[in-house]
Amino acid sequence: MQLAIAEAKRARDRGDYPIGAVITRLTGRREVVIASAGNRVKTSGSSIKHVELETLKYVSSGYGRYLPDFVLYSTHEPCAMCAGACVWSGIGAVVYGVSLKSIRKYNLFWKWNKPMGLDVSPIVTRGFEL
């Protein structure tokens, strides 16, 4: 988790959201770091460049689609999109720091996003049933 926090600080220093992630592989009694990165949503210009997705994509490209021997460490609780990616990757474990509840409680999301003009919610319409 210390490495994920260091990545989050580097992300913050380059003007991005302060979120970091690390993926390790469990080999016997050892845990080996495979990937680490800081968030690049703001600096990439893409709203889906979450650090959890990017590290999962990187590790999957070298180790295969399913990652049962791997652990994802993230400084923040993964959002719904990233949590879904964790499920679909079959990752062995997810360890996170700040919960989404705390982010909402301390209004961190809006403090980060309001300067970008993101104070609107999307309209969600129910689809059709078969």
Side-chain angles (χ1 to χ4, degrees):
M1 186 60 80
Q2 291 300 321
L3 183 54
I5 291 168
E7 290 287 357
K9 288 177 182 176
R10 281 194 280 281
R12 178 201 60 207
D13 292 346
R14 72 171 170 272
D16 222 308
Y17 300 114
I19 303 169
V22 174
I23 295 183
T24 62
R25 185 173 193 185
L26 300 173
T27 53
R29 298 184 120 189
R30 292 186 43 208
E31 197 170 7
V32 179
V33 173
I34 304 298
S36 66
N39 212 24
R40 293 192 179 274
V41 169
K42 286 171 70 176
T43 54
S44 73
S46 172
S47 60
I48 62 170
K49 287 277 192 178
H50 292 199
V51 69
E52 297 92 344
L53 288 180
E54 294 299 302
T55 52
L56 283 168
K57 184 171 67 172
Y58 174 79
V59 173
S60 292
S61 70
Y63 292 92
R65 182 175 174 190
Y66 299 110
L67 307 170
D69 300 332
F70 294 79
V71 178
L72 168 69
Y73 294 90
S74 179
T75 56
H76 290 62
E77 181 178 0
C79 69
M81 176 176 63
C82 295
C86 290
V87 169
W88 287 111
S89 72
I91 198 154
V94 175
V95 179
Y96 65 86
V98 178
S99 70
L100 291 174
K101 183 179 178 181
S102 291
I103 290 170
R104 285 188 207 103
K105 179 179 177 182
Y106 296 105
N107 207 18
L108 297 176
F109 178 79
W110 293 116
K111 286 179 185 175
W112 293 336
N113 289 300
K114 207 149 177 103
M116 295 173 48
L118 296 177
D119 58 353
V120 295
S121 297
I123 297 170
V124 178
T125 305
R126 185 174 174 181
F128 61 89
E129 293 184 32
L130 296 176

